[in-house]
């Protein structure tokens, strides 16, 4: 049986860059059929990082929003794990830089995490374990990426930039401070060659259609079902459901298999106007849900990382959610404050990444 | 080369990364960057966290920059009057020069300054962005 946890999300926040490129502008530049691409991916536009943005700067801005909502001094954070497939350094911890910027001090542990698009949820599990075991009072888990696709590749339409951060603490009776409690988490992991990027390669390699059935769907569906079996919960018990969203179509198809309604997906799918932010992808969905949920609502979150694995979480909002929703910048603010760039500007902006 | 030294930058991380200044223990004036002697002649200071919010006093566009910033050009630089009083020079990001005007409200953001070649250190720090 999956163990019931006694921890919660004390602070949460996100960040996406200001710039966007429309799907049609990428399609025209690559001489591809706009309607075909849009129909296949269900992505209207994606975020583009400015030249001075990377996964660390994105993480920092997300963490600032999470800290405001947590209402704790940053020095109380004792662990930082940052998940990304675009850490700016091959060797030098992004998580240590984030700690310095936030003024956490020096009495904390840190490490960078990589597992394709599920590195951020893996970071949450690592923090969850230490908080549950009372090794630390508060920990910070981050998923942040500036992902890239080669010009003309299918990934170029989806690979986007964004991040989310979560401060997790132990639930204490009479000292409630969580916006949402993390009740359960479990994972499934396999060795699946669907998508990878070798050292020193700028762009990833993927196996096209193989990334669907045997990779994304198999892991998302079986891990979600394992959670339902282990907890005895039914899919209709959840008010909000979030899946990893590499494009607009995959999470809708996974939802159909699992019997998830459009109403349950209402706030959890954010890919259509942002793109796939990799380690930030399902976590931006979670932030959007937390920014819109009512108290005492149940959330099911299942991430997916190529290579492959899924992490699943059952989360339940508390009465404090309403108050925390009023603090900091939310995803909707960032989505509305946008500026379009053309294809040439876009290529200039992303050429400096990695 | 001077400004690229990882060690010199490292000594200033609290200022560069999060706008940490100091405040005179006697008269309360806030300084950024930190001072060791106040204009009231007091030498006792406490470190002080600036909010990073302020206004643009003046600004300009840099089209031809020092070589290490050449990939970032054109970019905007301004003098910002911080809410707590100090005036500092900083880059203003996510905007072109025609989108800025004197008096605009700005806030701090954490951004990359430059990456030294293909193998050198990456320098980060505070820049400013219009509040929209
Ligand atoms: Zn003084």
């Amino acid at each position: 049986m999956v163990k019931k946890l006694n921890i919660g999300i004390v602070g949460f926040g996100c960040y996406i860059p200001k710039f966007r490129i429309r799907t049609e502008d990428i399609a025209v530049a690559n001489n591809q059929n706009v309607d075909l691409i849009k129909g296949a991916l269900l992505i209207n536009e994606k975020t583009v990082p400015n030249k001075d943005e990377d996964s660390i700067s994105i993480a920092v801005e997300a963490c600032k929003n999470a800290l405001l909502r947590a209402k704790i001094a940053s020095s109380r954070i004792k662990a930082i794990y940052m998940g990304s497939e675009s850490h700016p350094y091959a060797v030098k911890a992004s998580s240590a830089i984030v700690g310095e910027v936030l003024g956490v001090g020096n009495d904390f542990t840190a490490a960078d995490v990589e597992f394709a698009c599920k590195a951020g949820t893996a970071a949450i599990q690592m923090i969850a374990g230490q908080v549950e075991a009372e090794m630390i009072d508060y920990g910070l888990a981050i998923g942040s990426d500036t992902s890239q696709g080669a010009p003309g590749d299918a990934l170029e339409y989806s690979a986007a930039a964004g991040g989310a951060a979560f401060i997790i603490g132990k639930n204490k009776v009479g000292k409630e401070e969580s916006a949402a409690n993390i009740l359960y988490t479990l994972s499934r992991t396999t060795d699946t060659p669907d998508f990878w990027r070798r050292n020193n390669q700028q762009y990833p390699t993927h196996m096209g259609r193989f990334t669907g059935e045997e990779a994304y769907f198999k892991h998302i569906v079986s891990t979600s079902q394992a959670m339902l079996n282990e907890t005895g919960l039914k899919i209709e018990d959840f008010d909000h459901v979030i899946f990893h969203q590499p494009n607009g179509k995959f999470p809708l198809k996974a939802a159909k298999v699992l019997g998830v309604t459009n109403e349950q997906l209402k706030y959890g799918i954010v890919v259509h106007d942002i793109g796939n932010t990799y380690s930030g992808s399902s976590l931006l969905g979670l932030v959007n849900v937390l920014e819109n949920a009512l108290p005492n609502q149940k959330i099911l979150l299942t991430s997916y990382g190529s290579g492959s694995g899924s992490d699943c979480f059952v989360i339940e909002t508390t009465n404090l959610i309403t108050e925390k929703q009023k603090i900091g910048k939310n995803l909707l603010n960032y989505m509305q404050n946008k500026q379009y760039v053309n294809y040439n500007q876009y290529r200039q902006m992303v050429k400096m990444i990695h | 080369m001077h400004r690229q030294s990882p060690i010199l930058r490292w000594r200033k991380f609290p200022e560069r990364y999060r706008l940490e200044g100091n405040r005179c223990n006697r008269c309360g004036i806030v300084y950024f960057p930190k001072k060791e002697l106040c204009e009231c002649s007091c030498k006792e200071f406490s470190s002080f966290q600036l909010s990073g919010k302020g206004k643009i006093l003046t600004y300009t566009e840099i089209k031809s920059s020092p070589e290490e910033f050449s990939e970032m050009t054109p970019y905007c630089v301004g003098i910002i009057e911080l809410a707590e009083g100090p005036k500092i020079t900083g880059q203003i990001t996510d905007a072109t020069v025609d989108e800025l005007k004197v008096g605009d409200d700005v806030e701090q953001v954490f951004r990359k300054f430059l990456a030294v070649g293909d193998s050198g250190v990456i320098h980060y720090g505070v820049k400013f962005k219009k509040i929209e």
Side-chain angles (χ1 to χ4, degrees), chain B residues 24 27 38 40 42:
Chain B
C24 170
C27 74
C38 184
C40 80
C42 175

Side-chain angles (χ1 to χ4, degrees), chain A residues 67-114:
Chain A
L67 263 172
L68 283 175
R69 285 178 172 142
K71 298 183 185 173
I72 60 165
S74 58
S75 57
R76 301 192 65 192
I77 290 168
K78 297 300 173 193
I80 302 178
Y81 296 121
M82 174 168 151
S84 182
E85 62 106 56
S86 52
H87 289 291
Y89 289 96
V91 178
K92 188 177 189 318
S94 305
S95 43
I97 297 173
V98 170
E100 176 66 45
V101 182
L102 298 177
V104 167
N106 304 117
D107 298 323
F108 69 104
T109 183
D112 290 358
V113 184
E114 190 278 317

Side-chain angles (χ1 to χ4, degrees), chain A residues 24 38 42 50 85 99 116 165 185 204 231 254 265 295 320 345 351:
Chain A
E24 49 255 51
K38 277 191 142 179
L42 300 182
N50 203 346
E85 62 106 56
T185 182
T231 58
L265 292 176
L320 292 179
Q345 289 170 316
K351 123 185 143 180

Side-chain angles (χ1 to χ4, degrees), chain A residues 18-164:
Chain A
K18 177 183 177 182
F19 300 97
R20 306 282 184 282
I21 185 161
R22 293 186 175 91
T23 299
E24 49 255 51
D25 292 336
I26 302 175
V28 167
N30 292 322
N31 285 317
Q32 286 166 333
N33 184 312
V34 179
D35 295 331
L36 216 64
I37 299 272
K38 277 191 142 179
L41 297 176
L42 300 182
I43 294 175
N44 305 314
E45 58 196 49
K46 67 167 191 171
T47 61
V48 180
N50 203 346
K51 285 179 181 175
D52 60 359
E53 295 189 283
D54 64 15
S55 57
I56 291 179
S57 70
I58 287 169
V60 165
E61 297 303 320
C63 289
K64 286 180 190 171
N65 286 321
L67 263 172
L68 283 175
R69 285 178 172 142
K71 298 183 185 173
I72 60 165
S74 58
S75 57
R76 301 192 65 192
I77 290 168
K78 297 300 173 193
I80 302 178
Y81 296 121
M82 174 168 151
S84 182
E85 62 106 56
S86 52
H87 289 291
Y89 289 96
V91 178
K92 188 177 189 318
S94 305
S95 43
I97 297 173
V98 170
E100 176 66 45
V101 182
L102 298 177
V104 167
N106 304 117
D107 298 323
F108 69 104
T109 183
D112 290 358
V113 184
E114 190 278 317
F115 197 143
C117 296
K118 71 147 214 151
T121 53
I124 292 178
Q125 289 182 329
M126 291 164 70
I127 295 291
Q130 290 194 39
V131 172
E132 175 70 23
E134 298 184 22
M135 292 166 66
I136 56 171
D137 286 338
Y138 298 101
L140 172 60
I142 307 160
S144 175
D145 260 311
T146 51
S147 56
Q148 288 232 64
D153 186 88
L155 284 178
E156 194 182 14
Y157 294 96
S158 57

